[in-house]
Amino acid sequence: MHLETRVLVTGGAGFLGSHLCERLLKQGASVICVDNYFTGTRRNIDGLLDHHRFELIRHDVTFPLYVEVDQIYNLACPASPIHYQHDPVQTTKTSVHGAINMLGLAKRLRAKILQASTSEVYGDPSVHPQTEGYWGHVNPIGPRSCYDEGKRCAETLFFDYWRQHKLRIKVARIFNTYGPRMHPNDGRVVSNFIVQALLGRDITIFGDGLQTRSFCYVDDLIDGLTRLMNTADEMTGPVNIGNPTEFTMLELAAQVIELTGSRSRIVHRPRPQDDPRQRRPDISKADDLLGWAPQTALRDGLIRTIAYFENLLKDDAIRPFIAQEQSAEA
Ligand code: NAD
Ligand code: UDP
């Protein structure tokens, strides 16, 4: 990357965004981080605030933004079912109006723009593993639709700006990613199981636990995103970025219990509506075009993530909130 590259990261105070800002600063870029702190927090970017090439702006991407940059990573959007279903209308607005605003900005600046899309565009897939050519199996009117359809519409907008305005776009379809700085109470399975195990609470498996996911460690994911941004202009994607090793939720719970040495019990709760039964990326495109494949085994990534949550739970200012919200959900 050129030393002077100016990069905008929307959703930069979130889980993935904060790791991305950190990586871009390490690569020599100037970074503008934009966030409205809906699910992100300043704590995630504490270590960056004093960096001379880092700038933080509190802003909601559903409103236009005027900054001068060379590249845009559009990550702003709540990502966990609990958070994106909290205010579904705002979730759709964030994906759709947010994409329009960021694409408009990219058009004015002739900047390259990358969209953090999602495996949810495949819905509850009938093709397995999922290739980029699969159009998906998505309920347009269910509780997950605000997220899934919002992200699908954002992809449509990206490709229309590419066709109509010759914008340089990159679309990454991110599969379940985990690691330090996940929100402790966002209900995603990895953070949930780890926090429950560390607090000695019951581990809540939704349904029979035989549904599958493929978990990518955050460092690998960030590597994939930055590689995609730096590909030739004709490389638009969409590209699946995720770890193709598939686990059932029962297997995940067993690993978390083993690695934390917890005495938590496994309990079963009803499976949420439209919860995908299986999910695994076909990453041959990422391999061919980006020379990318994940390097971190689930066990190693879980060890690092558990260490993060152990530390977080030692913080007297934070622990009571995590414990209280976990009890409220139980
Ligand atoms: P996150 O909730 O930690 O981060 C999202 C960030 O966007 C937060 O900091 C939040 O405050 C911010 N935000 C939300 N609405 C905003 C708005 N209107 N204006 C400005 N900022 C806003 O989630 P994450 O896991 O870091 O996800 C980042 C992106 O990656 C999201 O777009 C998500 O859809 C996508 N993604 C993540 C995963 C995953 O497994 N983590 C998988 C697929 C796709
Ligand atoms: N899940 C679970 N227990 C939990 C949280 C989630 O069994 O405490 C299940 C959930 O039903 C889903 C899988 O774990 O089948 C992954 O859920 P998550 O919300 O992390 O991601 P997504 O469903 O968006 O892929």
Side-chain angles (χ1 to χ4, degrees), residues 26-290:
K26 276 197 188 122
Q27 291 177 347
S30 297
V31 175
I32 300 179
C33 165
V34 159
D35 208 293
N36 70 348
Y37 306 121
F38 175 49
T39 52
T41 134
R42 282 174 69 98
R43 199 175 59 243
N44 286 339
I45 42 168
D46 255 356
L48 309 180
L49 293 174
D50 289 336
H51 197 294
H52 65 286
R53 281 185 271 106
F54 184 75
E55 197 180 331
L56 177 61
I57 303 176
R58 182 184 194 122
H59 176 80
D60 182 328
V61 295
T62 60
F63 297 96
L65 175 71
Y66 297 92
V67 291
E68 307 299 315
V69 290
D70 308 302
Q71 297 181 354
I72 303 170
Y73 287 85
N74 188 36
L75 271 64
C77 187
S80 85
I82 289 183
H83 285 149
Y84 69 65
Q85 289 171 19
H86 171 75
D87 185 349
V89 173
Q90 178 64 17
T91 299
T92 304
K93 278 189 189 169
T94 295
S95 275
V96 177
H97 293 189
I100 291 171
N101 287 329
M102 292 309 114
L103 287 161
L105 177 65
K107 183 173 163 235
R108 175 173 72 79
L109 301 171
R110 303 310 302 169
K112 249 195 285 189
I113 180 164
L114 181 147
Q115 168 69 354
S117 191
T118 168
S119 53
E120 299 283 347
V121 300
Y122 301 123
D124 189 4
S126 40
V127 164
H128 194 71
Q130 292 79 55
T131 55
E132 291 85 350
Y134 175 51
W135 289 357
H137 177 225
V138 176
N139 178 357
I141 56 167
R144 296 175 81 102
S145 312
C146 58
Y147 183 72
D148 302 7
E149 297 289 18
K151 288 284 187 179
R152 285 169 67 96
C153 184
E155 285 201 11
T156 306
L157 284 161
F158 267 69
F159 278 87
D160 282 334
Y161 269 77
W162 170 68
R163 274 185 289 263
Q164 201 174 326
H165 299 300
K166 311 282 174 273
L167 216 61
R168 291 177 296 159
I169 62 154
K170 314 278 175 193
V171 174
R173 290 188 180 150
I174 302 171
F175 283 64
N176 297 65
T177 302
Y178 70 100
R181 301 197 201 127
M182 290 185 89
H183 193 296
N185 289 121
D186 72 2
R188 278 189 268 193
V189 70
V190 174
S191 45
N192 245 21
F193 285 2
I194 292 176
V195 172
Q196 288 166 340
L198 292 176
L199 291 173
R201 303 251 165 98
D202 290 345
I203 298 213
T204 53
I205 290 205
F206 299 163
D208 57 14
L210 295 176
Q211 70 269 42
T212 65
R213 295 292 186 275
S214 311
F215 299 104
C216 185
Y217 188 65
V218 60
D219 290 355
D220 289 335
L221 191 279
I222 299 300
D223 190 35
L225 289 188
T226 53
R227 280 183 195 225
L228 176 58
M229 180 61 105
N230 292 303
T231 49
D233 288 352
E234 55 276 15
M235 171 59 196
T236 57
V239 185
N240 289 339
I241 309 214
N243 190 318
T245 317
E246 192 177 358
F247 293 89
T248 66
M249 296 312 103
L250 281 170
E251 288 168 334
L252 176 69
Q255 280 222 34
V256 169
I257 289 173
E258 185 215 320
L259 293 172
T260 52
S262 173
R263 299 174 67 170
S264 291
R265 293 175 314 143
I266 287 179
V267 296
H268 290 264
R269 296 276 156 74
R271 196 156 145 254
Q273 187 190 329
D274 298 338
D275 191 42
R277 190 77 210 158
Q278 54 184 1
R279 193 181 289 145
R280 171 155 65 98
D282 179 320
I283 58 162
S284 21
K285 198 167 166 186
D287 187 10
D288 283 355
L289 300 171
L290 314 177

